[in-house]
Amino acid sequence: MSPGRLSQGQYGSRAAVPRILGLLRRHDIRASFFVPAVVALLHPDEQRRVVDEGHELAMHGWIHEMTSQLTETVERDLMRRAHETLAKIAGRPPVGVRVPSWDFSPTTLGLIRELGLLYDSSLMADDEPYEILEDGEPTGIVELPVEWIKDDAPYLGMNRASTIRPYTPPSAVLEIFKAEFSGAVDEGGLFLLTMHPHIIGHRSRIALLADLIQHMKSVDGVWFATHEEVARYCLAHGGAAG
């Protein structure tokens, strides 16, 4: 990877994460940060700051590898190393995972069970949390489903070496996110966003997130929670459908 591409990622640590943490602090909101283990090793103080401010640190691969291209042996080794790395840096083991690029492999579920994780957040079978089944049997693992519609990267990502270009202005992204949130409120359900620091952390884009938070806080009965808190709530109240 070129130094130029790497610097785009470095922007996340240098400028975006402090900006994001400041926004969350002002609104007294706790969030979940999914961090590749190599990023955590490169920026351990950043991860400790995230944890110290009350946020969740969760797994996101070893070095943002494509999981489905790995053998089961390699996937197991990288997941275990990532789990151990985050546990050492954060002072407590992670309880959830979001595989890089949501590239859930045929062997990922078994490895999640081996690690004893509470939840996954990589799949897209529902709008609401659900319990993952294996061969028709419940696993006890809560799935907190994701969707590209509620991800900043498809709208605002940029790769000069490809055809990927930002095609949606932040105001339109805000409109889409508000519509998804309104639908969740109407159904009394989950609204889960996926944000990337090096994307949402830019000045014109974090304004989008700030406006969205203000809008969400204006609605009565909204609960801002980490993924771990949502997963534990679902298990305690039977809120994860099969």
Side-chain angles (χ1 to χ4, degrees), residues 109-127:
L109 178 57
L111 301 180
I112 289 174
R113 301 186 75 175
E114 286 181 17
L115 287 174
L117 298 180
L118 171 68
Y119 73 86
D120 172 72
S121 186
S122 314
L123 301 175
M124 307 183 187
D126 207 317
D127 294 306

Side-chain angles (χ1 to χ4, degrees), residues 88-149:
K88 182 177 181 180
I89 290 174
R92 59 162 294 193
V95 300
V97 62
R98 174 172 290 157
V99 296
S101 300
W102 305 339
D103 188 32
F104 202 97
S105 83
T107 54
T108 298
L109 178 57
L111 301 180
I112 289 174
R113 301 186 75 175
E114 286 181 17
L115 287 174
L117 298 180
L118 171 68
Y119 73 86
D120 172 72
S121 186
S122 314
L123 301 175
M124 307 183 187
D126 207 317
D127 294 306
E128 308 304 334
Y130 59 92
E131 183 176 8
I132 300 178
L133 305 181
E134 185 171 29
D135 297 325
E137 297 296 324
T139 63
I141 298 168
V142 177
E143 178 62 36
L144 302 178
V146 292
E147 226 301 320
W148 296 111
I149 295 170

Side-chain angles (χ1 to χ4, degrees), residues 51 55-57 83 86-95 228 232:
V51 172
H55 306 293
E56 177 189 4
L57 195 66
H83 188 269
L86 293 188
K88 182 177 181 180
I89 290 174
R92 59 162 294 193
V95 300
E228 178 180 357
R232 293 196 186 282

Side-chain angles (χ1 to χ4, degrees), residues 57-210:
L57 195 66
M59 297 172 62
H60 196 44
W62 175 252
I63 194 169
H64 212 277
E65 61 279 356
M66 294 299 292
T67 308
S68 65
Q69 297 179 7
L70 307 176
T71 65
E72 182 176 0
T73 299
V74 173
E75 185 182 0
R76 175 180 288 107
D77 177 58
L78 293 181
M79 283 188 70
R80 287 182 173 176
R81 288 163 61 188
H83 188 269
E84 292 169 0
T85 297
L86 293 188
K88 182 177 181 180
I89 290 174
R92 59 162 294 193
V95 300
V97 62
R98 174 172 290 157
V99 296
S101 300
W102 305 339
D103 188 32
F104 202 97
S105 83
T107 54
T108 298
L109 178 57
L111 301 180
I112 289 174
R113 301 186 75 175
E114 286 181 17
L115 287 174
L117 298 180
L118 171 68
Y119 73 86
D120 172 72
S121 186
S122 314
L123 301 175
M124 307 183 187
D126 207 317
D127 294 306
E128 308 304 334
Y130 59 92
E131 183 176 8
I132 300 178
L133 305 181
E134 185 171 29
D135 297 325
E137 297 296 324
T139 63
I141 298 168
V142 177
E143 178 62 36
L144 302 178
V146 292
E147 226 301 320
W148 296 111
I149 295 170
K150 293 172 283 187
D151 185 307
D152 61 353
Y155 306 110
L156 303 171
M158 169 71 185
N159 183 351
R160 66 177 179 82
S162 76
T163 58
I164 297 175
R165 298 287 189 274
Y167 67 90
T168 312
S171 59
V173 178
L174 176 60
E175 181 180 347
I176 294 168
F177 289 168
K178 281 184 175 180
E180 286 287 332
F181 170 72
S182 295
V185 170
D186 290 344
E187 296 179 359
L190 177 70
F191 175 67
L192 188 155
L193 277 181
T194 300
M195 304 277 98
H196 300 78
H198 66 282
I199 294 177
I200 202 66
H202 286 274
R203 292 163 178 156
S204 63
R205 297 167 178 182
I206 200 163
L208 175 170
L209 183 56

